[in-house]
């Protein structure tokens, strides 16, 4: 058994462990175990400095999870957009391919907790039907291996999957969506990176949420992946008590580029069951973006997105930089809130941001009032 597998085995996972280690009430520990099991491996555990700190919040089951009964368990409607088991096909040319249910830790805010940790729900027995789907759909040129965490597979199993994908000429990019460099960096071994580098382009997208996750060990893991030629991106989830602070976020993003990781997405927290206590406002996210853009290297600035409830995909949000816009000019403010005018011309192209494209005014005959009607479908209203 490899070191990282041994560390998984030494993880905290039982209700008894939770009671002993974190002072949870026995009854709640048992209920939490049923709701979403825990896994805290000794490496990630060692990063906790005090109860309730940003590391603790991400991995230690919290009694507040049990109070959030109204949030959905599949907010992004991934299962409705799943043509065959283990595949979510939402965008024209790329898919999400779930290859294992296991992870290095179980993150309490996980958006896929309805499946993660349960190997009946992301089962290897469906891999063949997923491969067939990918073979038949030649419009797909980007496959995101996810789960669970694809690096929970052995090198041999992962290589089998990647090899099969590489036998399909229409697939250009393979992405590995993995939190292992953050939560169990011991998983990144010489033999793993030597295998990966045979199948480029392999992009790695990892998931750092707090500057304290950038340690000697995680830096070493990232270096090995980068030296093997994998471009590395990062996604961060905005969470109360973890990183809902412009200074913390600035430090995280700057540290990431210093270890050759490109911040890719900053996500608004999905509306996932058991996640209400992590919720922040959209205004907080925009405030953070306002304090990143212009203030630190553009390389360190991620896209701030909401993954639309109901499966609309990722929608970017920006602080408002446009003060005024007509056919002759646009007035903008910069990162220091100074105003600038840029001359525009009229060429009969409607600006893309024109609410008239989305809103239609209709007259209500009885009340004579004007009502706004959305022309676009709002999926969340289904
Ligand atoms: C996020 C996501 C992708 C990838 O989106 P990009 O914007 O290309 O990174 C693809 N499919 C699904 C279902 C996703 O959720
Ligand atoms: S590593 Fe990813 S898939 Fe696994 S529990 Fe954490 S957020 Fe969910």
């Amino acid at each position: 058994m490899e070191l990282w597998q041994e560390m998984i085995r030494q993880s905290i996972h039982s209700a008894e462990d939770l009671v002993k280690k974190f002072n949870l009430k026995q009854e709640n520990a048992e209920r939490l175990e049923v709701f979403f099991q825990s896994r805290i491996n000794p490496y990630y555990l060692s990063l906790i400095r005090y109860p309730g700190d940003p590391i603790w919040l991400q991995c230690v089951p919290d009694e507040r999870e049990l109070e959030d009964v109204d949030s959905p368990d599949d907010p992004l409607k991934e299962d409705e957009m799943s043509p065959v088991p283990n595949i979510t096909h939402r965008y024209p040319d790329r898919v999400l391919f779930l290859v294992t249910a296991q992870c290095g830790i179980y993150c309490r805010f996980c958006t896929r907790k309805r499946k993660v940790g349960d190997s009946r729900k992301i089962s290897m027995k469906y891999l063949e039907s997923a491969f067939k789907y990918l073979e038949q759909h030649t419009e797909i040129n980007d496959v995101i291996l996810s789960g669970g965490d694809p690096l929970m597979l052995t090198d041999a199993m992962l290589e089998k999957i990647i090899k099969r994908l590489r036998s399909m000429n229409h697939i250009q990019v393979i992405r590995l969506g993995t939190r292992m460099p953050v939560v169990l960096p011991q998983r990144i071994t010489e033999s793993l990176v030597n295998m990966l580098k045979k199948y480029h382009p392999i992009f790695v997208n990892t998931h750092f949420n707090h500057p304290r996750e950038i340690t000697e060990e995680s830096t070493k893991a990232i270096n090995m992946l980068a030296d093997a030629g994998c471009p590395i991106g990062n996604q961060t989830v905005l969470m109360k008590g973890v990183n809902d602070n412009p200074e913390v976020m600035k430090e995280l993003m700057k540290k990431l580029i210093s270890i050759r990781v490109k911040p890719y997405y900053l996500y608004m927290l999905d509306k996932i069951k058991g996640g209400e206590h992590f919720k922040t406002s959209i205004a907080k996210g925009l405030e953070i973006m306002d304090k990143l853009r212009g203030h630190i290297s553009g390389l360190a600035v991620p896209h701030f997105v909401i993954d639309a409830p109901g499966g609309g995909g990722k929608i970017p949000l920006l602080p408002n930089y446009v003060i005024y816009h007509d056919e002759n000019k646009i007035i903008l403010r910069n990162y220091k809130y100074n105003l600038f005018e840029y001359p525009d011309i009229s060429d009969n192209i409607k600006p893309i941001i024109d609410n008239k494209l989305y809103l239609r005014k209709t007259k209500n005959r009885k009340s004579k009032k004007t009502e706004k009607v959305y022309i676009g479908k709002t999926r969340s209203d289904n």
Side-chain angles (χ1 to χ4, degrees):
M1 190 174 288
E2 292 188 56
L3 172 64
W4 67 271
Q5 289 167 317
E6 190 55 47
M7 291 172 78
I8 291 284
R9 286 211 346 194
Q10 292 164 2
S11 296
I12 289 176
H13 64 93
S14 68
E16 284 67 44
D17 291 340
L18 296 177
V19 173
K20 261 194 271 160
K21 263 294 210 207
F22 305 113
N23 251 334
L24 265 72
K25 290 198 204 100
Q26 178 73 31
E27 187 212 337
N28 286 340
E30 283 165 19
R31 284 172 66 204
L32 281 161
E33 198 179 16
V34 175
F35 171 61
F36 183 45
Q37 62 180 297
S38 56
R39 171 176 285 170
I40 308 167
N41 70 58
Y43 167 78
Y44 202 70
L45 180 69
S46 77
L47 302 185
I48 293 177
R49 288 191 195 151
Y50 55 89
D53 79 3
I55 307 294
W56 168 300
L57 286 175
Q58 291 185 62
C59 64
V60 179
D62 191 306
E63 292 162 358
R64 288 174 293 180
E65 291 171 34
L66 299 167
E67 293 160 21
D68 176 19
V69 289
D70 294 332
S71 300
D73 48 19
D74 183 12
L76 309 179
K77 295 273 185 274
E78 291 183 327
D79 294 343
E80 281 178 25
M81 296 182 178
S82 176
V84 292
N86 296 23
I87 296 264
T88 296
H89 195 174
R90 170 175 299 147
Y91 293 108
D93 66 342
R94 55 210 188 279
V95 296
L96 203 63
F97 182 8
L98 309 184
V99 294
T100 172
Q102 299 289 310
C103 298
I105 64 166
Y106 292 127
C107 310
R108 304 318 297 176
F109 53 88
C110 181
T111 206
R112 216 169 281 144
K113 52 172 82 116
R114 69 188 184 282
K115 289 187 162 177
V116 160
D118 185 342
S119 49
R120 288 163 305 173
K121 298 206 175 132
I122 304 178
S123 166
M124 303 294 261
K125 72 179 180 209
Y126 298 123
L127 284 188
E128 193 50 40
S129 66
F131 285 134
K132 287 260 151 64
Y133 183 85
L134 295 172
E135 274 159 1
Q136 284 156 7
H137 288 260
T138 53
E139 75 276 17
I140 296 166
N141 48 48
D142 179 351
V143 175
I144 301 156
L145 297 181
S146 182
D149 196 312
L151 290 188
M152 283 299 287
L153 299 174
T154 60
D155 295 354
M157 188 61 212
L158 188 63
E159 180 162 22
K160 251 171 110 169
I161 293 171
I162 294 176
K163 232 186 194 154
R164 182 77 182 265
L165 295 175
R166 277 285 168 253
S167 75
M168 303 175 205
N169 288 333
H170 54 284
I171 292 173
Q172 296 165 337
V173 166
I174 297 173
R175 302 192 224 180
L176 280 179
T178 175
R179 239 198 137 185
M180 286 302 212
V182 185
V183 300
L184 189 56
Q186 292 78 2
R187 171 64 185 101
I188 314 304
T189 58
E190 280 303 329
S191 60
L192 174 71
V193 298
N194 285 333
M195 183 276 281
L196 292 176
K197 69 181 174 201
K198 293 189 280 180
Y199 301 98
H200 279 315
I202 306 261
F203 281 64
V204 171
N205 214 35
T206 189
H207 182 164
F208 286 93
N209 284 328
H210 193 277
R212 265 176 41 205
E213 292 171 336
I214 302 175
T215 61
E216 219 174 280
E217 291 91 337
S218 59
T219 301
K220 180 168 172 240
I222 292 293
N223 276 336
M224 288 169 74
L225 288 164
D227 289 347
C230 299
I232 306 166
N234 185 69
Q235 60 185 51
T236 296
V237 178
L238 177 60
M239 281 180 283
K240 192 159 147 191
V242 176
N243 54 19
D244 59 335
N245 174 309
E247 289 312 310
V248 169
M249 211 61 103
K250 213 187 259 183
E251 186 189 347
L252 172 63
M253 300 306 162
K254 290 181 76 153
K255 277 199 167 150
L256 285 173
I257 53 168
S258 80
I259 61 167
R260 289 185 283 175
V261 175
K262 167 80 187 83
Y264 182 46
Y265 283 135
L266 170 63
Y267 284 97
M268 203 56 202
L269 180 81
D270 292 330
K271 191 164 171 54
I272 178 68
K273 187 172 286 177
E276 273 296 290
H277 61 291
F278 285 120
K279 205 170 168 185
T280 59
S281 66
I282 293 166
K284 176 56 77 179
L286 289 170
E287 181 206 10
I288 288 169
M289 291 307 293
D290 196 49
K291 292 195 169 154
L292 295 181
R293 171 65 63 195
H295 296 272
I296 61 171
S297 165
L299 283 177
V301 181
H303 303 285
F304 178 39
V305 296
I306 294 186
D307 218 333
K314 297 168 186 76
I315 302 177
L317 286 173
L318 272 182
N320 190 16
Y321 293 102
V322 178
I323 306 301
Y324 177 83
H325 186 196
D326 67 18
E327 287 170 356
N328 303 313
K329 63 174 179 292
I330 189 165
I331 300 177
L332 301 162
R333 61 103 177 154
N334 73 354
Y335 72 104
K336 291 190 207 161
Y337 285 78
N338 298 323
L339 297 186
F340 299 88
E341 188 176 313
Y342 180 94
D344 203 359
I345 53 167
S346 165
D347 57 8
N348 293 322
I349 300 173
K350 275 200 172 175
I352 289 175
I353 304 173
D354 179 351
N355 287 334
K356 281 187 228 122
L357 287 178
Y358 302 102
L359 292 174
R360 177 165 46 112
K361 285 185 178 160
T362 57
K363 288 234 160 78
N364 183 321
R365 285 200 186 149
K366 271 191 192 149
S367 69
K368 299 236 159 79
K369 270 206 307 222
T370 302
E371 290 178 343
K372 283 178 178 171
V373 175
Y374 285 92
I375 295 171
K377 266 205 248 162
T378 52
R379 275 190 155 264
S380 60
D381 293 341
N382 285 346

